[in-house]
Amino acid sequence: MTASPERAPEPAPVPLPTQPRKAACLALLVFAMVMTLAAFAEVGLARDGQIPTGLFGYGGGLAVLAGAAYYVQVRFAPYADPLLLPLAVALNGLGLAMIYRLDLSTSRDVKDAIRDGKKVVTSGLASAGTQLQWTFVGILLFALTVFLLKDSKILQRYIYTLGGLAIILLLLPIVPGLGAEINGARVWIFIGPFSVQPGEFAKLLLVVFFAGYLVNKRQAMSLVGKKIGPLSLPRGRDLGPIMVIWVFGLGILFVQKDLGTALLYFGLFVSMIYIATQRVSWVLIGVGMLVLGLLVATQIPFLSHVNQRLSIWMNPDPYFDGGCLLDSGKVVSVAPGTQPFIDAGGGPGAGLTACLKMGGEWADSSQLLKGLYALGEGGVLGKGLGQGEPWRTPLAFSDFIFDSMGEELGLTGLMVILLLYALIVQRGMKTAVAARDPFLKLFAGGVSFVLALQVFVIVGGVTRLIPLTGLTTPFLAQGGSSLMANWILIGVLVRMSHQARQPAPQAIQDEGMTQVVSLR
């Protein structure tokens, strides 16, 4: 049965409080800073028995930046949601305190561990000073977004331009001499002394493109199709966009070998189709295509990186400190004392060389397993900030900062962090529901979902719920690209919440044909 493409009525906007909430925002911002400064103080008291100097330098610097962001918000977006800025500051502050705790220049216990001959895998890489500098740039971009983006709907005019710009950003890492492959994924570009991850910015541009495209196509995609049982299947011509995005996601996976980014973009598009059409059949089709894409990827020799991630996810123990997957399906280890064992001799890279000579695929699960051990050490309440050994986890300041915080804050602290993320997403979705314009509804919903999906993918990866990918933990992990892109995301949400909450313009009263105008 084929239905006629009748125009569905637009849902009525949900009314929100239309008064400025400046005092509430300021009170929550002060609470966020108190929480951040308390984290710095606990690190110093646990390690040295005194308030650390970093509390005044790094904590005070963040407080000044938060105050400047508050001024910009109340000056140019006074009706904005009062929770968004404090939630972002709280997450940024906790991440900064954890990086300060791991920074070798400020961490006495890490220096002691190195002196005692313990294996420290994060020494010299964590830098609280660098993270504070990127926080300054991120909040500056937040302020510029709030100041310049007076009407978010204007972006709808440039959806194809912004979509093309997103494609260019995604292709930059594969340009010879500009991009480089790190940890198996080619997602970085190097400009002089700086490195940038363009995909972090491309995700926001793609949200704009998807929102603009679906506003025009959602009527046909939601009303026309064949009904089979409880499901309404779309027409063949309407499958075109999702097929293009599917091939696009596989292309990213093939060229950049980045499973996380491919999952993020494909999941984003499927979710926005569901928001636009409210048809479950699109979600089922998307999940089916995602599974099919992963099966295809595992059959391509060039994408052995994906096979390694899946193999480690299913059975990480044989790969601890390095394992070799043979053609027979058996995994042999190079770690002495394990069976089966390759006697690869000494020297760095000996195990990899021996594995390649046997025609196998080399992988190492120690990063994932050490992160899980750290979570286990933390238990329910954690060891306390400054009292654990997170520096034993590889990349504890970036990819695995969630695990390192779990060791010191425990399951309780991690639940608080996840609650902060959930509140940002909930406020974004509330803005989407209250927006009066269809484009803004999809835009706000997409921006909120991309944050939720990124948190799910990285947290699911480091806890072994799903295969580990290379995405960053928003606001917590060390890195300029992620921090800048996520502060822009908060700026966009603040702007759209201001538009959704401000009072609607009043109609001009009919005062008759003749009016008396004072010329004095």
Side-chain angles (χ1 to χ4, degrees), residues 29-375:
L29 199 57
V30 170
F31 180 74
M33 283 311 309
V34 169
M35 189 166 60
T36 298
L37 297 177
F40 273 95
E42 186 176 349
V43 169
L45 291 172
R47 290 189 326 206
D48 309 320
Q50 59 186 7
I51 299 295
T53 56
L55 183 146
F56 305 101
Y58 299 110
L62 181 63
V64 172
L65 293 174
Y70 171 76
Y71 170 77
V72 172
Q73 177 171 313
V74 299
R75 175 70 176 80
F76 300 103
Y79 294 97
D81 192 309
L83 262 71
L84 290 169
L85 178 60
L87 290 170
V89 169
L91 287 168
N92 199 154
L94 290 176
L96 184 62
M98 192 67 206
I99 293 169
Y100 172 79
R101 183 257 177 280
L102 292 166
D103 190 337
L104 184 60
S105 63
T106 63
S107 183
R108 178 174 296 178
D109 60 337
V110 179
K111 294 177 182 177
D112 293 342
I114 295 174
R115 184 196 58 205
D116 296 341
K118 293 184 178 179
K119 187 176 182 180
V120 177
V121 294
T122 62
S123 68
L125 297 177
S127 173
T130 302
Q131 186 70 354
L132 183 61
Q133 292 173 13
W134 285 122
T135 300
F136 169 77
V137 178
I139 291 182
L140 177 63
L141 292 174
F142 164 85
L144 289 174
T145 303
V146 173
F147 174 69
L148 296 175
L149 194 62
K150 292 182 172 54
D151 184 2
S152 305
K153 196 173 184 311
I154 198 172
L155 296 175
Q156 191 177 5
R157 301 178 189 173
Y158 309 104
I159 58 172
Y160 292 102
T161 302
L162 297 177
L165 183 59
I167 300 297
I168 293 174
L169 288 176
L170 289 173
L171 293 178
L172 284 179
I174 65 173
V175 176
L178 188 62
E181 184 172 319
I182 300 177
N183 295 329
R186 195 180 180 91
V187 297
W188 294 90
I189 62 172
F190 290 86
I191 306 174
F194 300 101
S195 58
V196 181
Q197 199 170 353
E200 288 286 342
F201 302 95
K203 68 184 181 185
L204 295 177
L205 300 178
L206 285 176
V207 172
V208 178
F209 172 74
F210 291 159
Y213 177 83
L214 291 173
V215 162
N216 299 326
K217 300 292 184 183
R218 61 178 179 151
Q219 295 294 337
M221 297 175 77
S222 60
L223 295 176
V224 183
K226 295 181 179 179
K227 194 170 183 62
I228 300 178
L231 295 178
S232 298
L233 299 180
R235 297 179 302 181
R237 72 180 72 173
D238 294 329
L239 282 172
I242 197 170
M243 290 296 295
V244 170
I245 297 300
W246 182 67
V247 174
F248 178 67
L250 284 180
I252 293 175
L253 189 60
F254 185 79
V255 175
Q256 299 186 352
K257 301 180 183 179
D258 187 6
L259 179 62
T261 302
L263 283 173
L264 181 67
Y265 293 155
F266 189 73
L268 171 64
F269 185 67
V270 172
S271 66
M272 291 189 70
I273 286 184
Y274 175 72
I275 294 173
T277 63
Q278 299 180 4
R279 287 176 60 171
V280 179
S281 54
W282 282 110
V283 178
L284 298 178
I285 292 171
V287 172
M289 294 177 71
L290 179 63
V291 174
L292 178 62
L294 287 176
L295 292 176
V296 171
T298 56
Q299 303 304 314
I300 301 176
F302 179 75
L303 296 177
S304 60
H305 182 66
V306 176
N307 272 328
Q308 291 174 352
R309 293 292 176 92
L310 291 175
S311 183
I312 287 176
W313 173 56
M314 291 185 289
N315 187 18
D317 293 339
Y319 292 99
F320 188 75
D321 276 345
C324 184
L325 177 61
L326 303 177
D327 292 338
S328 61
K330 180 189 295 182
V331 180
V332 292
S333 173
V334 298
T338 59
Q339 294 295 333
F341 168 62
I342 303 174
D343 188 4
L352 172 61
T353 304
C355 178
L356 295 178
K357 283 183 179 178
M358 292 190 300
E361 293 181 2
W362 176 261
D364 189 349
S365 65
S366 58
Q367 189 181 39
L368 174 64
L369 288 177
K370 288 180 179 178
L372 294 175
Y373 294 156
L375 285 176

